[in-house]
Amino acid sequence: MTHQAHTDSVFQSSPESLDPADWQAFREQGHRMLDDMVDFLAGLREQPVWQPMPAEVRGAFGEPLPRAPGDLHDAYQDFRQLVQPYGVGNVHPRFMGWVQGGGNPVGMLAEMLAAGLNANLGGRDHAPIEVERQVIRWSAEMLGFPATASGVLVTGTSLANLIAVLVARTRALGLEVRRDGLDGRALVAYTSTEAHNCVSRAMDMAGFGTAALRLIPCDANHRMDLSLLAERLAQDRAAGLQPFLVVGSAGTVDTGAVDDLRGLATLCRAESLWFHVDAAFGALAMLSPAQRPLLDGLGEADSVAFDFHKWAQVPYDAGCIMVRDGDLHAASFATQPAYLRREARGLAAGHPWPADFGPDLSRGFRALKVWMTLKVYGADKLGEVVSRACTLAQRLLERVRAESALEALAPVALNVVCFRFIEADGDLDSLNADIVADLQESGVAVPSTTLINGQRAIRIALVNHRTREEDIHILIDAILAAGRRRVAQA
Ligand SMILES: *Cc1c(COP(=O)(O)O)cnc(C)c1O
C-alpha cells in the first residue's frame, strides 16, 4: 500500500510554539507514517536482511546544522530513503549474527504513546512510575526474587552490570565508600573467561580496574570451573586481597552456556561474596518450562542483570537490574539535594524514586513498552518464543551434523550454535570469515563469527521471534553454496 503523493501544505509550526499550526495536516502525516511502518513490518521477510550503504547515502549525512525550518514530509522522505533501508537488520527473521531482539509491533506503538506523554521517570508521584514499579515486581516474579527486591530499568545489561558492581562494592566496604572512595583497598572480583566484556568494563568504570577481575577458566561445556574458582579465591585471600564479588553467566554470548548457578550461589554464601548473574538474554528462559531448569539457582543471586530488548523482543533500549536487598540498592545511589527533596504529599512524594537505584536522574518511559508487551502477549507467549528458539537451535545442530561439509564446534545449551565449513584444504579460518561476509552482503541471512578454542566459527544466535525452521535451511543452504563457490574459485 502506498500513500498518495504529497500535496498538502508544508509543515508549519504555530508562531508561539513548536506545535503544528494545522493539527489536521499533522495528523494525516502521522497516519501515513504509521501505515508505512506497519507495511514495513508486515513485509520484512521479502526484504534483504542487510545491505551495504551506498556512498551517496552515507554522504547525505554530511549536511550542516539546519537553521531554517524544513518540511516534515521531506524529513520523513529522508528517513525512508536514507535510514530505513540501511538498518542493522535485527528485525528480520534471518538476522542471526548477534544476540539482538527483533522488536515487536505493540512495543512500537507503546514508544509513540510514551513519547506523546514525554514523562520523566527520575521520580515524583505519577502513574508512569507505577507502571515501572509494576514491571519491576513482574521481573522479581519471573526471576524468583522476593517481592521486596528492588530494580530499575536502564539502557541495557552493560549499565545493569555496572550498577551491580557498585552495589556489591557498597556491601563490601560500607556506605563510607561513597564518600571516601576505594582508598587503596585491594578488592577483587571473579567471572569466567566466557563472560561478556562489559563485566570487565564495569570493573574499569567502577574504579577497581580490569586487573581486579579474575577470569576463571571454563570446562568443556564453557561453564566456569568452580574448583578453579575456589582455588583462586584461596590464593587471593592468602595474598591479602579482599574478594567481594562473583559474576556468573546465564547465557554466554559465544555459546549460550549457563554457569552452574546453584553451585555458585552456595559457594558465594559460604565465602560471603556478592553473587551477581549476567543473564542478559538467558533470564527470559525462566519463562520457558523446558529451559527453566538450566537456570536453577538464579533466584538465589544477590543481583541479576538482564535485557528486555533481547529475548523479550521489547524495542531498544530496555535493560534491567534487579537487587535482592532493595535497601542496600537504594543506599548505594540515593542522594537528596534540596531541589530533589522528598515530601509526604504532593508531586514530590512517592519515595523511593527510580533515580535512587542508579546513576540516571532524568529517565524516559521505557517501562511502557515493556508493560504493554507483557500485557498484550503475556509471559507464557514470550516463554514460547524462547522455547522455539532453543528447538530451532537443536534443528540447526542436527542439520550441521548431517552435512559432511560442516563441523559443530561447541555444545548447544540454549540458542547459540557454533560450527564451520570444513570441505576445503588450507586456511579454514579465513574461508569461514569470507563465507560469513558473503552471506551478510547477499542479504539472505546474517551470521557472525567468533573464536571457539582458537578456531574461527560461524556463530548463529537464534533470538528473533520471527525466525522459522525454513530460515534455518535457507541459512545452511546459503552457507554450503558460498563455501563451495569459494573453494571452486580458489
Ligand atoms: C548483550 C549482552 C550484554 C550487554 O548487554 P547490552 O544490553 O548490550 O548492554 C552483556 N552480557 C551478555 C551475556 C549479553 O548477551
Side-chain angles (χ1 to χ4, degrees):
M1 187 176 44
T2 51
H3 54 74
Q4 82 257 28
H6 172 58
T7 49
D8 351 49
S9 57
V10 294
F11 179 86
Q12 283 188 336
S13 53
S14 89
E16 301 85 28
S17 78
L18 303 184
D19 284 335
D22 177 354
W23 282 103
Q24 186 55 31
F26 176 80
R27 182 193 311 274
E28 284 161 17
Q29 179 66 54
H31 286 171
R32 278 197 294 274
M33 289 176 175
L34 177 63
D35 281 344
D36 290 345
M37 281 318 274
V38 170
D39 288 346
F40 170 73
L41 292 180
L44 278 177
R45 193 167 271 283
E46 281 66 54
Q47 298 299 316
V49 187
W50 178 80
Q51 52 188 334
M53 205 183 305
E56 320 82 83
V57 170
R58 202 181 295 277
F61 294 102
E63 284 179 16
L65 173 70
R67 310 294 307 212
D71 187 22
L72 173 59
H73 175 83
D74 295 341
Y76 178 54
Q77 289 315 309
D78 283 351
F79 167 81
R80 297 262 286 166
Q81 282 151 27
L82 305 176
V83 182
Q84 187 178 312
Y86 306 105
V88 77
N90 56 313
V91 287
H92 195 285
R94 285 190 299 280
F95 180 93
M96 303 166 173
W98 293 271
V99 178
Q100 295 195 14
N104 77 78
V106 172
M108 175 183 89
L109 295 180
E111 282 281 66
M112 188 199 69
L113 302 180
L117 277 190
N118 190 30
N120 181 344
L121 276 82
R124 304 190 172 79
D125 197 17
H126 52 116
I129 297 235
E130 291 305 330
V131 171
E132 179 155 345
R133 288 184 179 133
Q134 185 166 35
V135 165
I136 295 301
R137 284 194 297 273
W138 288 344
S139 300
E141 199 177 325
M142 174 180 86
L143 298 175
F145 264 32
T148 51
S150 56
V152 70
L153 296 180
V154 292
T155 42
T157 292
S158 300
L159 193 68
N161 282 336
L162 172 61
I163 290 174
V165 167
L166 291 170
V167 180
R169 175 203 65 164
T170 310
R171 215 294 285 270
L173 296 177
L175 289 177
E176 309 81 74
V177 68
R178 297 188 60 194
R179 185 192 57 221
D180 300 338
L182 295 179
D183 204 17
R185 275 167 300 193
L187 269 66
V188 283
Y190 304 79
T191 193
S192 86
T193 48
E194 300 274 317
H196 194 280
N197 171 256
C198 69
V199 177
S200 170
R201 290 179 68 211
M203 290 293 287
D204 161 14
M205 291 186 284
F208 294 103
T210 55
L213 181 67
R214 313 300 198 212
L215 299 182
I216 306 299
C218 291
D219 63 18
N221 289 320
H222 302 265
R223 309 167 86 203
M224 196 190 315
D225 185 321
L226 297 200
S227 56
L228 293 180
L229 169 62
E231 266 174 39
R232 189 68 206 257
L233 267 167
Q235 236 177 318
D236 285 339
R237 287 202 203 279
L241 303 174
Q242 186 181 344
F244 77 111
L245 163 70
V246 175
V247 180
S249 301
T252 60
V253 269
D254 271 347
T255 69
V258 181
D259 284 337
D260 172 4
L261 302 178
R262 183 154 298 280
L264 284 173
T266 305
L267 183 144
C268 288
R269 192 160 315 118
E271 297 268 354
S272 281
L273 300 171
W274 186 272
F275 177 35
H276 173 67
V277 181
D278 175 348
F281 63 96
L284 268 287
M286 289 298 275
L287 300 178
S288 157
Q291 268 69 44
R292 190 186 301 128
L294 265 179
L295 300 186
D296 177 50
L298 183 68
E300 305 296 314
D302 292 302
S303 53
V304 175
F306 71 98
D307 283 320
F308 282 107
H309 56 218
K310 288 178 175 169
W311 240 348
Q313 318 290 331
V314 170
Y316 284 87
D317 49 29
C320 183
I321 177 69
M322 294 294 301
V323 179
R324 171 180 300 280
D325 180 347
D327 293 337
L328 182 69
H329 186 184
S332 300
F333 289 98
T335 53
Q336 289 205 11
Y339 50 85
L340 295 179
R341 194 184 143 80
R342 315 301 159 85
E343 306 290 354
R345 60 194 192 88
L347 195 46
H351 175 82
W353 293 354
D356 297 330
F357 295 112
D360 295 319
L361 177 56
S362 293
R363 308 171 60 252
F365 198 1
R366 280 189 192 101
L368 189 65
K369 60 193 171 184
V370 180
W371 193 70
M372 290 190 75
T373 296
L374 285 166
K375 279 171 94 82
V376 173
Y377 297 104
D380 290 348
K381 173 100 183 188
L382 298 182
E384 283 165 24
V385 168
V386 168
S387 304
R388 192 161 61 236
C390 294
T391 304
L392 287 177
Q394 292 300 332
R395 291 275 175 287
L396 174 56
L397 184 63
E398 284 161 20
R399 177 84 199 270
V400 165
R401 289 195 172 131
E403 296 288 347
S404 59
L406 302 176
E407 172 187 49
L409 289 179
V412 176
L414 288 170
N415 58 334
V416 183
V417 186
C418 292
F419 58 96
R420 61 179 182 162
F421 183 87
I422 53 168
E423 198 178 74
D425 306 318
D427 183 355
L428 290 178
D429 283 357
S430 63
L431 173 61
N432 279 277
D434 281 336
I435 292 172
V436 164
D438 288 350
L439 254 73
Q440 292 174 355
E441 287 175 1
S442 76
V444 170
V446 167
S448 66
T449 71
T450 191
L451 285 180
I452 300 289
N453 302 325
Q455 292 172 324
R456 178 74 59 186
I458 299 175
R459 185 182 69 141
I460 300 301
L462 296 163
V463 182
N464 192 300
H465 60 98
R466 303 181 172 107
T467 308
R468 304 175 189 151
E469 184 156 350
E470 71 191 65
D471 296 310
I472 299 296
H473 297 297
I474 292 171
L475 167 83
I476 293 291
D477 293 346
I479 287 174
L480 292 172
R484 286 172 180 150
R485 193 161 50 239
R486 288 215 161 249
V487 169
Q489 286 164 0

